[in-house]
Amino acid sequence: MSGYRYGAYEDGPDPLAPPYDVRGALDAVGDAVLDGTRPGDALRDLLRRGLPGRDGRGLDDLLRDVRERRRALRDRGRLDGTLEQARALLDTAIGQERAELFPDPSDDARLRETELDALPDDTSQAVRRLSNYEWKSGAARETFERLKDMLRSEVLDAQFQGMKQALQSQDPAQMQRVKDMMSALNAMLEKDARGEHTPEDFDRFMDDYGDFFPDRPENLEELVDALARRAAAMDRLLASLSPEQRAELAGLMDEAMKDAGLAMEMTRLGDSLRARRPDLGWGGAEPMTGEDPLGMGDATSALAELADLAELEAALGQEYPGARLDDIDEDAVRRALGRRAVDDLQALRRIEAELERQGYLRRNRGKLELTPKAVRRLGETALRRVFSQLASGRPGDHDQRDAGQAGELTGSSRPWRFGDEQPLDVVRTVSNAVRRSAMNGLSAPVAPAVPAEVADPAGGVRSDIVPGPRPVRLGVDDFEVHETERRTGAAVCLLVDLSYSMVLRGTWAAAKQTTLALHTLVTSKFPQDAIQIVGFSNYARTLQPTEMAGLDWDMVQGTNLHHALMIAGRHLDRHPDFEPIVLVVTDGEPTAHLRPDGRSLFDYPPSTETLVLTLAEVDKMTRRGAGMNFFMLADDRRLVSFVEEVARRNGGRVFAPDAQRLGEYVVSDYLRVRRGRR
């Protein structure tokens, strides 16, 4: 019997699972990029909204929930609850003492009443005065002890969450354990500051006093972080009170700690925590708008949670440089919003991670960029958009299905090369494959034999095996195409205005989409053509395919068509046998040119020198035989006048398309010119 057992694959992700479907995310990012958004901004907007058609929420939904949680916490109550409770208990104790003294006719009773009358209005000072008072009333003495116990437990609960429950038994031995715990804690922190702390020290501390820390921190850093956050929250509690309330509550806290013998240990702990975590915003005020009074422990917990929510809000906002979803703490999300929010966050993280893992996005020096793989898909999308606007059967319709030839046949054939459009010579192709197989001594697999009955010379009938036809295997080198009349390639130059006015007029997105669509059309459908994209503002530069997706306008002055034509001319000169095509997309007349020292000179209105130098480059294009077709995205009088002069000198055509139809005009014009070449 075999010892194999089959079950679900458990050693990591399923290796046979289909790849995570990121098409929807990529298309959403691509649509935003084609509308003029930077790739990084497009991805951030997608993560903010969440993927359409899915149940998962985006960062904006999580951010809204965090802000609602903060509002609910602020409406939870007032911060002076402990002070109010202390005043009530003090008034009760004094009232009980007066009730005991009133029927007593002795001078001692009158002196005691005088002492009570002289108590200050400040609760902390009154408690300090009464700490050595000999209570006549047993009920008053008990109320005053309850006041001191309440202050002690509230102050300790404010620093150590859950301490209030630990001190409810009023056991002196438990109070001594608190003192021992704080002494051991301060000793451990000081030892760590000297670099002498070991994990074993922390383990021993938790074995002895772990019941005081219900969150069960795993190491000293987690413990320090939790204690520092509560200490900072308690500091913000005091800062949020009025100056009178702050002084009164601080006095009560000091008195409670002195009474418990913990004043020195609390001071040591506070100084150590503040030195370790100065980044926690100590002393910042946090307004609370609720009506119900909160004790110090509850108020501190609320303020600590508000601080955590403020950090979570900043992380979810992703507004700081270099922000990533990995910066968001899942535990903080779970504490604030629950498990479902964590699932939503993980889904968003997976989208970002999969776009990078599957090769659509990459980070270059902290900046998010589209890869060539994503740019190809983006260009195809742009091209589909353009062709969807073209009417069926119009010039440039690339969805035509009827057969056609690239030119008149000459009667000869030649080996096929990548990019050839000539019809395939099937006979020569198959003959090449057969010849190659015979010369190399290769025998193709024989098809199943077919039995046949043939006459036997002796008069009988015998059955012979007649071999079936052998398949022919074709190789790339076997293919040949019919020679046709010579059809040259094209050297295509698309000059795109990158100046700030393109954004102001709302034409920038259309220009970017047109650029990607034309580049994709040329490289995919006409690979023998040589295309160059040139962007120009105060200077001109050649744009690579991966740059075009993240292409951005330049917030500078100047439309340096002079420099752009110089770069385009060099491209045409590198392809002298190609037919030149120059397309210019702009919304303004030339306002800058290159000086002899290579620097750009801007002048508005355009200087005579700028116009003369630009038109000189136009004349050079004319001598090269390159027709310049202008696509004007504005009807400015100076632009119209300049373009008309170019058309007169060069013989090119002028278009004034609506921005939404720019891609249709440019692609159609390229196809018209190319289809007419021989």
Side-chain angles (χ1 to χ4, degrees):
M1 294 293 293
S2 172
Y4 294 108
R5 182 171 57 86
Y6 296 91
Y9 184 76
E10 298 177 350
D11 190 16
D14 185 357
L16 301 180
Y20 184 73
D21 187 4
V22 294
R23 289 175 298 178
L26 182 62
D27 289 341
V29 170
D31 288 341
V33 169
L34 291 178
D35 289 336
T37 308
R38 298 182 183 93
D41 295 338
L43 177 61
R44 186 170 66 247
D45 291 343
L46 172 65
L47 296 178
R48 285 187 178 282
R49 299 189 310 269
L51 272 180
R54 293 195 179 187
D55 295 334
R57 296 173 294 172
L59 291 179
D60 283 346
D61 299 309
L62 301 180
L63 197 58
R64 182 170 56 253
D65 292 346
V66 167
R67 288 169 178 164
E68 290 177 357
R69 175 64 179 160
R70 290 189 70 184
R71 282 194 293 270
L73 276 174
R74 287 197 183 100
D75 294 340
R76 186 174 167 184
R78 305 194 318 268
L79 296 177
D80 59 348
T82 296
L83 192 58
E84 184 177 296
Q85 189 177 359
R87 286 172 179 167
L89 287 173
L90 180 63
D91 290 342
T92 300
I94 292 174
Q96 290 171 333
E97 181 71 2
R98 289 184 181 278
E100 184 72 22
L101 295 175
F102 180 75
D104 187 350
S106 66
D107 293 338
D108 179 65
R110 303 289 81 75
L111 288 173
R112 288 175 178 271
E113 288 177 341
T114 303
E115 185 175 356
L116 293 177
D117 291 339
L119 287 175
D121 293 334
D122 185 286
T123 307
S124 62
Q125 295 182 25
V127 170
R128 187 177 299 111
R129 289 269 192 94
L130 293 174
S131 59
N132 296 320
Y133 178 78
E134 295 289 340
W135 295 92
K136 186 78 172 179
S137 167
R141 184 185 306 107
E142 182 179 345
T143 301
F144 190 72
E145 290 298 324
R146 193 162 75 249
L147 166 62
K148 293 194 294 184
D149 291 340
M150 183 272 296
L151 288 174
R152 185 168 55 246
S153 63
E154 287 288 351
V155 172
L156 289 175
D157 189 54
Q159 178 60 77
F160 304 95
Q161 188 175 12
M163 190 68 76
K164 185 187 298 185
Q165 288 75 16
L167 296 176
Q168 283 179 346
S169 64
Q170 305 293 327
D171 184 2
Q174 185 73 342
M175 194 64 225
Q176 183 59 46
R177 281 195 71 228
V178 173
K179 296 178 182 179
D180 295 341
M181 180 271 294
M182 291 195 63
S183 178
L185 175 59
N186 283 319
M188 183 169 60
L189 292 176
E190 291 170 357
K191 188 176 180 181
D192 182 64
R194 296 192 301 269
E196 301 172 358
H197 174 73
T198 63
E200 290 74 17
D201 296 334
F202 178 78
D203 294 338
R204 284 193 297 271
F205 176 81
M206 292 302 294
D207 289 340
D208 294 337
Y209 306 109
D211 55 311
F212 289 124
F213 306 96
D215 291 340
R216 302 299 297 181
E218 296 183 0
N219 51 54
L220 181 60
E221 285 305 314
E222 288 190 12
L223 176 61
V224 167
D225 186 71
L227 293 176
R229 288 181 179 277
R230 289 194 69 82
M234 186 163 56
D235 204 49
R236 286 193 294 275
L237 186 154
L238 291 172
S240 303
L241 299 173
S242 68
E244 296 79 12
Q245 290 175 325
R246 186 183 312 125
E248 196 170 350
L249 185 58
L252 286 173
M253 293 168 58
D254 291 341
E255 191 65 27
M257 291 299 96
K258 286 178 182 177
D259 183 65
L262 293 172
M264 183 178 296
E265 297 294 346
M266 284 291 287
T267 301
R268 287 173 62 195
L269 179 61
D271 292 343
S272 180
L273 294 176
R274 186 184 289 264
R276 281 174 170 266
R277 295 298 307 274
D279 57 306
L280 291 180
W282 301 75
E286 184 75 53
M288 298 286 284
T289 57
E291 295 296 330
D292 299 330
L294 297 176
M296 274 194 69
D298 294 337
T300 302
S301 296
L303 290 178
E305 187 174 352
L306 282 171
D308 291 342
L309 288 173
E311 288 186 9
L312 182 58
E313 183 176 349
L316 289 171
Q318 298 279 288
E319 297 293 344
Y320 49 92
R324 300 194 63 173
L325 293 185
D326 292 339
D327 300 338
I328 303 174
D329 185 357
E330 282 192 10
D331 292 335
V333 173
R334 182 182 292 104
R335 290 193 301 268
L337 305 177
R339 178 66 216 181
R340 185 194 168 196
V342 175
D343 295 338
D344 294 335
L345 176 61
Q346 290 175 345
L348 295 175
R349 279 178 173 168
R350 188 172 186 189
I351 290 173
E352 184 178 24
E354 286 293 331
L355 284 172
E356 292 191 41
R357 189 186 68 80
Q358 296 186 27
Y360 292 107
L361 294 176
R362 66 185 175 197
R363 293 188 181 272
N364 183 14
R365 298 178 182 178
K367 183 180 178 181
L368 201 64
E369 296 178 346
L370 293 176
T371 64
K373 179 180 179 181
V375 171
R376 286 194 298 271
R377 182 180 178 97
L378 200 58
E380 292 168 359
T381 301
L383 193 57
R384 284 197 303 271
R385 284 189 179 185
V386 170
F387 280 128
S388 68
Q389 298 170 347
L390 296 174
S392 176
R394 289 182 56 188
D397 188 350
H398 235 57
D399 290 331
Q400 199 77 5
R401 293 292 186 265
D402 51 329
Q405 293 188 151
E408 296 297 329
L409 298 178
T410 63
S412 62
S413 63
R414 61 171 176 80
W416 171 86
R417 293 190 300 269
F418 178 76
D420 281 337
E421 297 177 337
Q422 286 80 1
L424 185 66
D425 188 335
V426 178
V427 175
R428 294 295 298 272
T429 299
V430 176
S431 298
N432 290 339
V434 173
R435 225 175 3 253
R436 176 179 52 80
S437 299
M439 291 176 61
N440 294 337
L442 300 177
S443 58
V446 179
V450 180
E453 292 184 350
V454 297
D456 186 274
V461 178
R462 74 173 189 271
S463 176
D464 286 348
I465 303 298
V466 179
R470 297 171 181 264
V472 176
R473 297 186 180 277
L474 298 178
V476 175
D477 295 335
D478 298 328
F479 285 91
E480 290 201 16
V481 294
H482 289 290
E483 280 280 11
T484 61
E485 293 179 353
R486 184 172 180 270
R487 172 176 282 189
T488 62
V492 186
C493 296
L494 176 62
L495 313 184
V496 183
D497 192 344
L498 304 183
S499 61
Y500 186 50
S501 60
M502 295 282 285
V503 178
L504 295 180
R505 288 193 171 102
T507 57
W508 171 241
K512 177 190 281 191
Q513 177 174 321
T514 299
T515 303
L516 287 167
L518 181 62
H519 185 274
T520 301
L521 175 64
V522 173
T523 54
S524 61
K525 305 298 183 182
F526 306 102
Q528 68 270 38
D529 287 358
I531 183 172
Q532 182 185 59
I533 308 295
V534 180
F536 61 96
S537 52
N538 58 340
Y539 291 94
R541 66 183 187 272
T542 302
L543 300 172
Q544 302 302 320
T546 52
E547 286 183 85
M548 288 186 293
L551 191 61
D552 205 1
W553 44 267
D554 295 334
M555 195 171 178
V556 295
Q557 291 180 317
T559 302
N560 199 338
L561 182 59
H562 169 238
H563 191 194
L565 290 173
M566 291 173 63
I567 295 176
R570 290 196 292 269
H571 176 68
L572 299 182
D573 292 342
R574 286 193 295 270
H575 304 86
D577 296 331
F578 284 45
E579 184 164 346
I581 301 176
V582 180
L583 311 172
V584 183
V585 177
T586 184
D587 69 341
E589 73 277 20
T591 57
H593 67 271
L594 280 189
R595 300 194 305 184
D597 60 3
R599 289 188 294 175
S600 174
L601 178 65
F602 167 77
D603 198 4
Y604 186 84
S607 67
T608 303
E609 186 179 8
T610 296
L611 295 176
V612 168
L613 290 174
T614 304
L615 290 174
E617 290 298 324
V618 171
D619 292 340
K620 290 181 183 179
M621 288 292 180
T622 305
R623 289 193 293 271
R624 293 185 180 99
M628 295 179 58
N629 291 347
F630 268 79
F631 300 86
M632 299 191 307
L633 299 180
D635 56 359
D636 181 76
R637 179 178 56 82
R638 288 193 180 91
L639 173 60
V640 172
S641 176
F642 171 77
V643 169
E644 288 178 348
E645 176 62 20
V646 172
R648 187 185 68 79
R649 289 169 174 257
N650 178 266
R653 302 200 301 166
V654 178
F655 302 90
D658 180 83
Q660 301 304 318
R661 301 188 64 190
L662 175 63
E664 175 187 350
Y665 273 68
V666 172
V667 170
S668 295
D669 189 63
Y670 164 74
L671 292 173
R672 178 194 63 80
V673 175
R674 194 187 190 287
R675 189 176 54 255
R677 290 198 314 274
R678 284 290 182 94

